[in-house]
């Protein structure tokens, strides 16, 4: 499912890399790595190819 694809790319990837204590989800004290997309990836995975903004460790690296 789309939900499983997103989970695999976020929290499960962080867990697989041993980084689940600092990334992979939005929570206080975690690195703020965010991808803002045009659309709902739960409905359309293609939305992940349409970034509107990207933040890495709380810093903006792309804003369209």
């Amino acid at each position: 499912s789309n939900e499983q694809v997103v989970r695999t790319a976020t929290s499960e990837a962080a867990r697989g890399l041993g980084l689940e204590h600092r990334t992979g989800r939005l929570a206080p004290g975690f690195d703020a790595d965010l991808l803002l997309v045009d659309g709902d990836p739960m409905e359309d995975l293609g939305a992940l190819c349409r970034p509107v903004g990207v933040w890495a460790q709380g810093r903006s690296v792309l804003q369209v």
Side-chain angles (χ1 to χ4, degrees):
S1 69
N2 290 3
E3 180 180 350
Q4 184 61 38
V5 169
V6 172
R7 188 178 306 122
T8 298
T10 56
S11 59
E12 291 181 14
R15 189 174 314 109
L17 293 169
L19 299 173
E20 69 275 12
H21 63 283
R22 60 178 272 201
T23 192
R25 61 188 176 106
L26 293 177
F30 278 51
D31 292 342
D33 298 335
L34 303 171
L35 171 66
L36 179 63
V37 298
D38 178 21
D40 181 356
M42 298 303 174
E43 297 294 323
D44 171 23
L45 285 176
L48 296 173
C49 296
R50 298 188 301 274
V52 176
V54 177
W55 290 262
Q57 296 183 339
R59 295 189 180 110
S60 176
V61 294
L62 172 71
Q63 287 187 358
V64 179

